[in-house]
Amino acid sequence: MVMNIFYTVLQDFGLAAVPAVGFAMIFNVPKEALKYCAVAGAIGHALRFSLYQIGPLPIEWSTLIAACVVSVIGIYWAQKWRAHPKVFTVAAIIPMIPGVNAFTALLAMVDLERKGFSQELLKTAIDNGLRAFFIIAALAVGLAMPGLLFYRRKPVV
Amino acid sequence: MSTGNVPWIKDDQREVTRVCAQTGVMLLQHSAESALAESMARRLGLALGMDAVEIALMANGITVSTIQAGRCHTTVRRNLDRGINMHVVTEVQRTILQVEENKLDLAGVARRLDAIKPSRYPRWLVSVMAGLSCAAFARLGSLAAGSEANIGTFVLTFVASGVAMQVRQWLALLHFNPLVNFTAAAFVATSIAAQGVICPWVDRPKVAMSACVLLFVPGFPLINAVSDMVKGYINTGISRGVMAVLLLLACCCGIVLAMTVWNAWTWL
């Protein structure tokens, strides 16, 4: 049982590195920084996965904690590598972006227009839209957290 | 009064104002967050000997004033979106760090900034990686839901999003409006994934349908929008957020169009 959970988290770790690198290439992150994006993306997603799937936390709070951790790692590398932390961290949190929720909310709204009002569709739209909004807010606030708490009057790099 | 140089402003202050504005605009154009653009332009001006540098950011422009010995020089630059490019952001930032370490002078900064060319990865490589990313998203989604899907689902996702990314890059090369671009590419992605619904050789076509459009989620603008607003840049934050939601809606149009054409309403 424990091995099974460990294997699932490990699989999550490996899989999350792929979109982190893929999106880092879409954002034209310099070649030397791609490995940082991969590692930070994998750590963030696997941490969130363990916090809300195995641990007791809701997904929004797990996302906030994971984004904070990614941001701290990003600041450490940014100071070593002399670049803004967002260069690594945004690509690293892309695997956590609630894309399916966002699209489901919008498509439910389209369906509301197409089929007419129904409670079920409205529920789908609001549930998914709110979830997407809160997760994105948690990601951005989590990334900003070291700046808000420790780097208040001084720049990171 | 002459229409040439205003005599009471020294030429090097004028030049400093220009490089400050250029720094700010280059960072904003390549999707750096507003706090970074403002602090970099200010630090560059201070490092080049100004007493103060004041910057006002707007949704599509930047105003820079430098003050030295009580004299003030102001300039405005228009900001045209050039797409996300972290390579440019890194290079601009390193140039300014060099100025702060006294390794570059004013002429050197202007030369370095002009020499920065946005580097891009080969288009085929980006498409392959985008396809792999969406296939990984499909697997991550079924991992979180605790369900299984066969290899066909992932291959279909890979092909759909890889081809869609190629279309998106090709349309961007032809300078189409991003909204048109996203609609067309989302249509292509969903059309390919919908073949899994029509010919049932894939066991979970719904997973492929939802995963193949995930490369169109404007993650960078969404994150930038929220972090701008958290740091007090409400107007740039709102404009970035609205653009991100419009891009999502454009994708949504493409998806609905494709589902209508193929009559494959599997999303909800």
Side-chain angles (χ1 to χ4, degrees):
Chain A
M1 185 61 194
V2 176
M3 273 318 284
N4 209 352
I5 291 172
F6 178 75
Y7 177 68
T8 313
V9 173
L10 197 70
Q11 207 178 356
D12 190 87
F13 185 88
L15 282 170
V18 178
V21 174
F23 277 85
M25 290 176 88
I26 295 176
F27 302 154
N28 295 298
V29 172
K31 211 182 290 165
E32 309 84 56
L34 286 180
K35 54 180 180 292
Y36 299 126
C37 297
V39 175
I43 291 175
H45 200 277
L47 178 63
R48 180 178 86 155
F49 185 81
S50 5
L51 284 175
Y52 86 93
Q53 288 278 344
I54 302 159
L57 287 178
I59 189 166
E60 299 83 3
W61 289 101
S62 329
T63 308
L64 184 71
I65 295 170
C68 287
V69 170
V70 168
S71 182
V72 169
I73 299 172
I75 286 178
Y76 173 72
W77 281 332
Q79 288 171 342
K80 267 187 27 178
W81 204 64
R82 291 156 58 84
H84 192 66
K86 283 254 160 123
V87 171
F88 324 107
T89 51
V90 174
I93 61 162
I94 286 288
M96 292 194 265
I97 294 242
V100 175
N101 290 117
F103 277 129
T104 307
L106 290 176
L107 286 168
M109 289 205 320
V110 172
D111 254 21
L112 271 176
E113 191 271 336
R114 211 165 55 96
K115 294 179 184 158
F117 178 85
S118 82
Q119 209 126 35
E120 205 179 325
L121 280 175
L122 189 67
K123 179 175 154 43
T124 313
I126 290 179
D127 280 353
N128 284 284
L130 282 177
R131 161 97 13 128
F133 175 79
F134 275 98
I135 293 180
I136 288 169
L139 285 170
V141 174
L143 279 190
M145 198 61 94
L148 297 173
L149 294 181
F150 305 116
Y151 292 89
R152 291 191 297 270
R153 308 275 300 177
K154 58 185 177 197
V156 172
V157 180
Chain B
M1 196 178 138
S2 78
T3 51
N5 287 359
V6 184
W8 58 82
I9 287 173
K10 286 191 189 155
D11 271 349
D12 41 338
Q13 184 179 359
R14 195 186 304 276
E15 198 52 42
V16 170
T17 317
R18 273 182 196 145
V19 292
C20 286
Q22 192 183 355
T23 305
V25 166
M26 279 179 90
L27 289 173
L28 285 180
Q29 278 180 334
H30 295 97
S31 296
E33 59 174 341
S34 303
L36 180 71
E38 176 170 357
S39 73
M40 279 297 126
R42 169 170 299 129
R43 281 164 63 180
L44 177 64
L46 295 179
L48 290 172
M50 295 297 118
D51 296 333
V53 181
E54 302 297 337
I55 292 137
L57 296 177
M58 289 157 283
N60 47 10
I62 177 171
T63 313
V64 177
S65 279
T66 58
I67 303 165
Q68 190 186 32
R71 294 193 188 88
C72 190
H73 186 226
T74 303
T75 187
V76 179
R77 291 288 180 279
R78 204 162 117 71
N79 165 24
L80 292 172
D81 192 30
R82 293 264 176 88
I84 304 162
N85 198 320
M86 288 300 113
H87 168 255
V88 174
V89 173
T90 311
E91 289 299 314
V92 170
Q93 185 162 22
R94 287 191 175 161
T95 307
I96 286 147
L97 289 176
Q98 285 199 337
V99 179
E100 288 187 332
E101 290 160 1
N102 288 322
K103 286 181 188 161
L104 268 183
D105 60 353
L106 179 53
V109 179
R111 249 197 333 271
R112 278 277 306 254
L113 288 180
D114 285 336
I116 294 172
K117 292 277 171 293
S119 82
R120 294 199 182 280
Y121 286 100
R123 280 198 290 282
W124 65 269
L125 186 59
V126 174
S127 299
V128 169
M129 282 310 292
L132 283 176
S133 301
C134 288
F137 275 135
R139 184 81 188 96
L140 281 173
S142 46
L143 206 63
S147 57
E148 285 296 324
N150 70 0
I151 188 82
T153 308
F154 305 125
V155 172
L156 183 63
T157 314
F158 172 79
V159 173
S161 45
V163 172
M165 189 69 209
Q166 198 68 28
V167 170
R168 177 177 148 185
Q169 294 185 78
W170 176 62
L171 290 178
L173 210 64
L174 298 176
H175 300 289
F176 275 99
N177 184 315
L179 296 170
V180 177
N181 186 342
F182 272 53
T183 309
F187 175 79
V188 171
T190 308
S191 296
I192 296 174
Q195 305 311 312
V197 182
I198 297 163
C199 337
W201 52 277
V202 175
D203 64 343
R204 302 281 306 281
K206 190 169 181 276
V207 172
M209 288 276 277
S210 51
C212 71
V213 286
L214 286 182
L215 82 151
F216 300 115
V217 178
F220 217 108
L222 280 173
I223 296 293
N224 264 343
V226 181
S227 55
D228 274 5
M229 288 197 258
V230 168
K231 291 173 186 174
Y233 301 88
I234 303 283
N235 61 353
T236 52
I238 289 175
S239 78
R240 281 172 164 171
V242 170
M243 192 61 206
V245 171
L246 280 181
L247 286 173
L248 272 174
L249 278 173
C251 290
C252 197
C253 290
I255 296 169
V256 170
L257 193 63
M259 290 201 295
T260 314
V261 167
W262 300 102
N263 197 19
W265 294 89
T266 50
W267 193 294
L268 289 173

